[in-house]
Amino acid sequence: MDFFTDKELIEKINRLRKEKHAVILAHNYQLGEIQDIADFCGDSLELSIKAKNVNADMIVFCGVTFMAETAYILSPSKTVLLPNLGAGCLMADMLTGEDVRKMKAAHPGSVVLCYVNSTAEVKAESDICVTSANALEIAKSVAADKEILFVPDSNLGNYVMHKTGRKMTMFPGYCPTHMRLKKEDILARKKEFPDAKVIIHPESRLEVIELADEVLSTGGMCGYVKESDSRQFIIATESGILHRLRRENPGKLLVPVSEEAVCYTMKMIRLIDLYNSLKKEEYKITVPEDVRIKALRPIEKMLELSAHLNIR
Ligand code: 13P
Ligand code: SF4
């Protein structure tokens, strides 16, 4: 087996991405070495918009399976690669298309709002996708006389329900990483850093979210910390975002709520995986065409609504 230093790997990756007209997209939770080499880092909404519009023959998606699937659904003419097939999302895997069909049968005439952290099969059964950046505004845009079914994240759903006052029927899914964020840990951090702004991701439990100064997607967190006059921030989400926040805000203090908030599947892509992916053009992510066509509708609807509502 060949051994390369990081410097050599970076050179090889740079050569290959040029040769293959490839773009490297990375989610904000990726390892620092991946964020640093990516063409673009972002949250789920920003990455979907990028995947749709970017001029490239190949997208190497450094994230988890549902993100690469979404990129393929939006841009089927491009080769979409996920450098490590183990990089799934535990929440997305909690719900099947059949589960959604059963929910719809029990609630005829309802509108299914589907968090993008879901499989293509689940999206294909849904009406509108949402991300953490736009769930609140999109839920508000659904006609008041319509019942909403919200899948698969019950924490995000509870937050939306709490903010809009709108009753929704929820699938009981959750993100195991955000479930590790506890109210007591936030209260302890607040005691330690009383002047810090508390920023919390809406995949957290409602009792945790209630302690926030700001509830934001990972992209929203990056924008907020950059623009804020505050110097100290308590960050309640997956730990990978600290790399980007610290790089972009060298003079500010950024404190994670818990060292335990690590999404292990988000950490499965290393430089060597990215290099192998570009070199061997693996692992190709596709979606059967009939499923892709059906899943495209709720994603396009979300992108249209987001543009209309002026959400990035
Ligand atoms: P955003 O980056 O869209 O806020 O989502 C967080 C997440 O858990 C992605 O898996
Ligand atoms: Fe899925 Fe949670 Fe990991 Fe995001 S952080 S990929 S929602 S398990």
Side-chain angles (χ1 to χ4, degrees):
M1 207 171 80
D2 294 329
F3 174 80
F4 302 115
T5 63
D6 282 2
K7 189 166 171 281
E8 286 167 333
L9 280 174
I10 290 166
E11 280 165 12
K12 285 174 186 298
I13 290 167
N14 285 339
R15 201 163 39 244
L16 281 169
R17 69 166 145 197
K18 212 179 259 171
E19 261 169 46
K20 303 205 175 191
H21 197 216
V23 68
I24 301 169
L25 302 185
H27 186 266
N28 290 324
Y29 295 160
Q30 288 289 291
L31 290 172
E33 65 196 45
I34 298 295
Q35 294 190 29
D36 291 347
I37 202 167
D39 292 289
F40 183 80
C41 288
D43 66 18
S44 310
L45 179 61
E46 293 166 331
L47 291 169
S48 304
I49 295 170
K50 235 357 179 216
K52 183 177 177 196
N53 300 329
V54 75
N55 177 16
D57 295 330
M58 187 182 278
I59 295 174
V60 189
F61 214 114
C62 298
V64 290
T65 318
F66 76 81
M67 296 179 175
E69 269 183 1
T70 305
Y72 176 80
I73 291 166
L74 284 161
S75 277
S77 61
K78 295 179 186 123
T79 300
V80 178
L81 304 175
L82 181 70
N84 187 330
L85 275 186
C89 166
L90 289 169
M91 170 157 60
D93 292 342
M94 288 176 185
L95 175 74
T96 65
E98 180 57 22
D99 293 327
V100 184
R101 283 193 288 278
K102 281 187 187 151
M103 284 177 81
K104 290 197 293 188
H107 300 265
S110 55
V111 172
V112 183
L113 294 190
C114 166
Y115 192 29
V116 278
N117 299 32
S118 52
T119 62
E121 206 195 56
V122 164
K123 289 183 178 77
E125 295 296 333
S126 303
D127 296 298
I128 317 175
C129 282
V130 300
T131 74
S132 54
N134 58 27
L136 209 52
E137 295 309 318
I138 289 184
K140 283 186 203 161
S141 77
V142 176
D145 61 339
K146 287 279 180 191
E147 182 185 4
I148 296 179
L149 306 185
F150 195 95
V151 299
D153 187 1
S154 56
N155 286 320
L156 179 62
N158 277 328
Y159 169 64
V160 170
M161 208 155 87
H162 174 73
K163 289 296 278 185
T164 59
R166 211 171 153 158
K167 205 177 160 306
M168 305 192 304
T169 299
M170 234 109 53
F171 178 81
Y174 58 88
C175 164
T177 307
H178 286 85
M179 286 299 251
R180 288 188 208 119
L181 297 168
K182 297 191 195 82
K183 194 177 165 179
E184 308 81 78
D185 294 338
I186 299 195
L187 290 172
R189 285 300 201 201
K190 272 165 87 93
K191 221 176 190 175
E192 248 182 295
F193 302 97
D195 297 332
K197 290 276 179 215
V198 180
I199 308 177
I200 301 185
H201 195 278
E203 283 177 22
S204 311
R205 274 177 281 218
L206 197 54
E207 63 172 31
V208 169
I209 290 180
E210 277 169 348
L211 299 172
D213 291 306
E214 300 290 335
V215 182
L216 295 164
S217 73
T218 62
M221 290 182 182
C222 293
Y224 178 81
V225 172
K226 212 179 223 176
E227 278 152 35
S228 170
D229 292 333
S230 299
R231 311 303 298 167
Q232 300 184 353
F233 303 86
I234 296 167
I235 306 294
T237 192
E238 207 275 343
S239 63
I241 195 165
L242 271 300
H243 176 81
R244 177 169 168 194
L245 288 174
R246 288 181 178 141
R247 191 189 57 206
E248 292 180 351
N249 304 281
K252 297 185 179 178
L253 180 71
L254 293 143
V255 186
V257 164
S258 165
E259 301 296 339
E260 286 172 28
V262 177
C263 174
Y264 293 99
T265 52
M266 276 282 183
K267 303 290 181 268
M268 284 184 174
I269 299 170
R270 299 155 305 151
L271 280 178
I272 185 73
D273 303 297
L274 178 52
Y275 164 62
N276 281 330
S277 180
L278 273 162
K279 187 173 156 211
K280 300 179 192 165
E281 301 192 9
E282 67 189 18
Y283 297 90
K284 287 196 175 79
I285 301 297
T286 57
V287 173
E289 191 56 11
D290 55 331
V291 179
R292 189 189 76 79
I293 297 291
K294 285 175 80 185
L296 181 62
R297 280 186 316 223
I299 302 173
E300 290 279 22
K301 187 102 208 248
M302 169 183 81
L303 295 179
E304 275 163 33
L305 281 167
S306 289
H308 180 68
L309 296 163
N310 210 11
I311 306 167
R312 271 168 305 116

